[in-house]
Amino acid sequence: MKKVAFFSKNLEIGGMEKSLIILINELSKIYKVYLYLEEKTGPLLNLVNDNITIKEYKISKNTNPFFRKSYNYLKRLFWKLFKKNYFDFSCCYATYSLSCSRLALIASKNNSLYVHSDYYNFYEKDIEKIKCFFNSINVSKFKNVIFVSNESRDNFCKIYNNINTKVINNLIDYKNIIKLSKKIVNFKFSASKINILYVGRLDNSSKNFDLLLDSFRIANNPNLNLFFVGSGTYKNNIEKFIQKYNLNNQIKLLGETINPYPYIKNSDYLILTSKYEGFPVIYNEALVLNKSFITTIPVTDNEIDVKDFFKIVKDKKELIDLLKNLNKQNNDYKVDFERINNNRINKLIELIEEKQK
């Protein structure tokens, strides 16, 4: 049985982390899977299959640069002595982690880097900053670089045109999503109003809550409610916004949960006003539960084009106009999730089965 290794930060609640678990659980049916985490923490640890070996590779964060660099170098040297080309396939799943990048490159000649965001837009099209980021994680040394959307891959190729790239979006755990959505939660949405839901990290730098909150306020539609499921650094700002504009009856924070699907199922719309994304996991979850979606990010992979399903807004004016005139909408998306999952996993298996030179 071939040995495959994935490297990531932790298993706290997040779209990337959930996608990783779905992927390695599926691969563990045919391979011996190892998961190396910088921190073996997070509520999602319990969702990993028992036949997957989870190990912690903790790096030093000591404030003394000499001690920190020496410790991490010696630990990596030890890893190289015992794990160099030990695996048949290795993958740095946390794009931004230098440690994960280095370990994945040592672990196998057949290695891949997973890219979950559009770094071209993340760095506001600043070519030097983009190069600095990708060069720091040794992107050119990877045999393949995997993207979750065509847009993020195409933007990367504007700068790097001599690197092998693939588009393989996240698997969709559609059966489990449907099952979990039936759980009873101690909260009910108003049946007489249109309930809009955001699910994810409360981080304004990427998720652009200023756009969402101000548009909601200006639209001034008494028939709308806005709910947030998640946690993050911007929570206090949202609470202050609610108090400042006296919107306690329309905007509520529901906290973080490992199972957001009952909320998704019972809402009327999901919303995402990000400045940039790869291909958000919440898009797939919305399609599974036949939810309407308002978004600023029209992305595609080789299986799904969200423009076919979601309401796309280009700017603040369009968002305000939409919120002013929003009506409830019933959907019945016809998406063959089994076929999509098979296509995606088979693309990754092809990479795993590539012969090492």
Side-chain angles (χ1 to χ4, degrees), residues 188-195 223 225 266 268 328:
K188 287 187 177 180
F189 290 113
S190 171
S192 62
K193 292 193 175 184
I194 298 172
N195 301 289
N223 294 318
N225 285 334
N266 292 293
D268 298 299
K328 293 202 177 190

Side-chain angles (χ1 to χ4, degrees), residues 185-231:
V185 293
N186 189 27
F187 180 83
K188 287 187 177 180
F189 290 113
S190 171
S192 62
K193 292 193 175 184
I194 298 172
N195 301 289
I196 303 172
L197 179 68
Y198 168 85
V199 178
R201 188 176 71 257
L202 303 183
D203 173 17
N204 189 55
S205 63
S206 61
K207 303 304 180 182
N208 204 8
F209 292 125
D210 289 345
L211 169 64
L212 171 56
L213 291 168
D214 207 41
S215 297
F216 186 89
R217 176 186 66 83
I218 295 171
N220 193 28
N221 186 341
N223 294 318
L224 303 184
N225 285 334
L226 177 61
F227 300 93
F228 292 87
V229 171
S231 66

Side-chain angles (χ1 to χ4, degrees), residues 325-342:
N325 301 291
L326 200 61
N327 295 308
K328 293 202 177 190
Q329 178 177 320
N330 294 320
N331 298 311
D332 185 18
Y333 297 136
K334 301 298 183 183
V335 181
D336 189 344
F337 296 107
E338 184 173 0
R339 178 189 62 79
I340 289 173
N341 275 350
N342 287 337

Side-chain angles (χ1 to χ4, degrees), residues 72-94:
N72 290 336
Y73 173 77
L74 290 173
K75 190 166 186 177
R76 190 165 65 252
L77 182 61
F78 185 81
W79 167 270
K80 191 172 184 178
L81 288 172
F82 290 93
K83 296 296 183 183
K84 183 175 176 61
N85 298 332
Y86 177 78
F87 298 96
D88 297 287
F89 174 82
S90 59
C91 178
C92 171
Y93 203 79

